[in-house]
Amino acid sequence: MDARDVAEAAVTRASAPFLAKAGCIGSVIAVIGMLGLGVTTLIAGAAKKASDAKNGGGECEIPGLPDPPSIDKVPGPILAQQIHHAKIIDGVAQERGLPGRASLIAFMTALQESGLQNLNHGDRDSLGLFQQRPSQGWGTPAEITNPPRATGLFFGGNPGRPPGLVDVPAWQMLDPGRAAQRVQRSAHPELYATRRGQAEGIARKAGINLDRLGTGTGERPEWAQPADPSEAPPAECTPAGGSTPAGAPFHDAAADWPDEVRNRRSTAEAIEWAKSQPGLNQKIWWRACLEFSARVHGWKAAGVTSAITHYHVMPAHMKHPGSRDVPPGALMYWKTGNPHGHVSVYLGDGMIISNDVLRPGYVDVIPASDIESKWGAKYVGWAPPFFPKGA
């Protein structure tokens, strides 16, 4: 969990009375579900292929996800991948005879942990949909980044592996967010409950029945077939009319900042300070891209909670969407498939300083194009180093 998660936790605590009521309602539903277990209905079927995303250029132009996310505003390519992964998760649940409630819990967990994306990076050695860690015995990186296999690990019943959902006593009786926490053991368990509405919305879009009955044991029926791990998620969309390909080089431009851009370091001082940081070898910047970018320019904090939020509040005349001609010292933004996005400081000559890309938690000087070509993010554009709420 980083500072953004702590901020989300504070918002969640402020709405605790509502969540408590939601938890009571969820418990009643769980009791009703338990009463139906004696006449279990198993719905056979493996995960179906997600339909190809057919997105026009307009959907590609959405500058980022709101924070917290609203399913009606999620960019088409990201939503298509979320639906694809939701179908895989539900397919594994059906194969194992688990009820729709198990799928709901898995959706909520994956949305909080990875944005329901199959990530190849994470906190320390965390990977995949559920950010499972090889060092904690969840499996090999190849297993954890295989969505059907990772889902099976999350659902549990795997000898020699950490306990999963079906290993939690009376998991069907627990509030979904609490059940997720019993598996994940997060430092901020209340955040899983905030993902329920989004999870239910994705299920509706995917045609998934969350009221489906099933067993609570996760014992796989003999007739079940494994989900196809070769299914690839929908590709990112390409704006209509053509565009610069992802991974293309970036070029220097003149740093003619507007008058209101005033930082505690000059641009030259900021770049010199940034270049000195990798040599310190400090593992203190996990999921702290905006904080680090503010530190580069002399601030202790940016004053907002996430990179995409910072881009949203940036004055319109300062934004340069899609431009690959970037002044040294500028802030560069990317969409990453989660609500927070990513921001880095451009150093010139096509290079940026960025946290988490080469080494989770550390900062390194890397080609700006690597964020797209090696990390799979989508470039949004650049803006001057403007921190009106910096502290």
Side-chain angles (χ1 to χ4, degrees):
M1 291 283 173
D2 61 353
R4 292 184 296 257
D5 289 325
V6 173
E8 286 189 33
V11 173
T12 304
R13 282 192 291 271
S15 54
F18 170 79
L19 291 178
K21 292 179 182 178
C24 292
I25 294 171
S27 296
V28 172
I29 294 173
V31 171
I32 295 172
M34 283 291 289
L35 293 176
L37 292 180
V39 286
T40 298
T41 301
L42 297 177
I43 300 178
K48 297 179 181 178
K49 242 182 185 178
S51 56
D52 294 336
K54 297 180 180 179
N55 301 299
E59 287 184 285
C60 296
E61 295 298 323
I62 296 175
L65 298 179
D67 190 10
S70 169
I71 190 170
D72 294 328
K73 297 181 180 179
V74 173
I78 295 175
L79 181 59
Q81 292 184 46
Q82 290 177 330
I83 290 173
H84 170 82
H85 291 130
K87 288 184 175 182
I88 289 179
I89 290 171
D90 190 61
V92 174
Q94 290 190 45
E95 290 171 7
R96 295 184 56 164
L98 291 167
R101 191 174 183 82
S103 296
L104 171 64
I105 294 167
F107 296 166
M108 292 166 60
T109 303
L111 283 165
Q112 176 59 30
E113 295 290 352
S114 69
L116 201 46
Q117 304 291 293
N118 188 27
L119 301 181
N120 63 358
H121 58 275
D123 182 18
R124 288 166 284 189
D125 58 337
S126 301
L127 297 167
L129 291 169
F130 302 96
Q131 290 291 279
Q132 294 152 328
R133 298 181 60 193
S135 65
Q136 300 302 307
W138 281 102
T140 65
E143 289 179 303
I144 292 172
T145 54
N146 178 308
R149 179 60 174 150
T151 300
L153 294 169
F154 174 83
F155 284 146
N158 304 290
R161 307 295 175 101
L165 184 63
V166 302
D167 303 309
V168 175
W171 66 266
Q172 308 97 312
M173 299 292 291
L174 297 177
D175 176 84
R178 187 182 296 268
Q181 168 63 8
R182 292 288 181 86
V183 179
Q184 300 296 102
R185 301 178 183 273
S186 167
H188 292 280
E190 66 271 32
L191 295 182
Y192 295 115
T194 68
R195 302 296 180 179
R196 181 164 186 167
Q198 189 184 12
E200 291 173 338
I202 288 173
R204 286 193 295 271
K205 293 276 189 181
I208 292 170
N209 177 18
L210 296 179
D211 296 322
R212 182 186 71 248
L213 299 179
T215 71
T217 61
E219 294 177 0
R220 182 171 170 174
E222 293 181 358
W223 43 259
Q225 296 298 317
D228 183 2
S230 66
E231 291 182 357
E236 290 283 337
C237 67
T238 301
S243 67
T244 304
F250 291 86
H251 305 283
D252 294 2
D256 187 15
W257 308 138
D259 292 339
E260 59 264 49
V261 177
R262 300 187 181 188
N263 293 305
R264 295 178 176 178
R265 289 192 179 105
S266 68
T267 298
E269 291 171 339
I271 292 174
E272 183 179 0
W273 184 89
K275 289 181 177 179
S276 72
Q277 296 307 295
L280 299 180
N281 209 37
Q282 294 178 315
K283 191 177 182 181
I284 59 175
W285 300 113
W286 167 245
R287 291 187 178 180
C289 58
L290 183 59
E291 179 187 349
F292 178 76
S293 298
R295 293 285 185 95
V296 168
H297 290 281
W299 303 94
K300 292 183 178 179
V304 296
T305 59
S306 72
I308 286 299
T309 300
H310 193 253
Y311 185 80
H312 282 323
V313 301
M314 189 73 66
H317 71 277
M318 294 189 187
K319 298 178 182 178
H320 298 265
S323 173
R324 301 180 93 86
D325 295 318
V326 187
L331 305 178
M332 300 176 67
Y333 299 87
W334 287 267
K335 292 188 295 183
T336 59
N338 66 43
H340 306 301
H342 188 69
V343 61
S344 298
V345 177
Y346 185 66
L347 302 180
D349 296 324
M351 308 298 286
I352 59 172
I353 186 160
S354 179
N355 61 309
D356 295 343
V357 178
L358 290 186
R359 303 177 296 164
Y362 297 89
V363 293
D364 292 285
V365 175
I366 62 172
S369 56
D370 279 6
I371 304 292
E372 295 170 298
S373 62
K374 295 184 179 179
W375 213 21
K378 181 174 177 59
Y379 178 58
V380 174
W382 68 267
F386 184 49
F387 298 94
K389 296 183 180 181

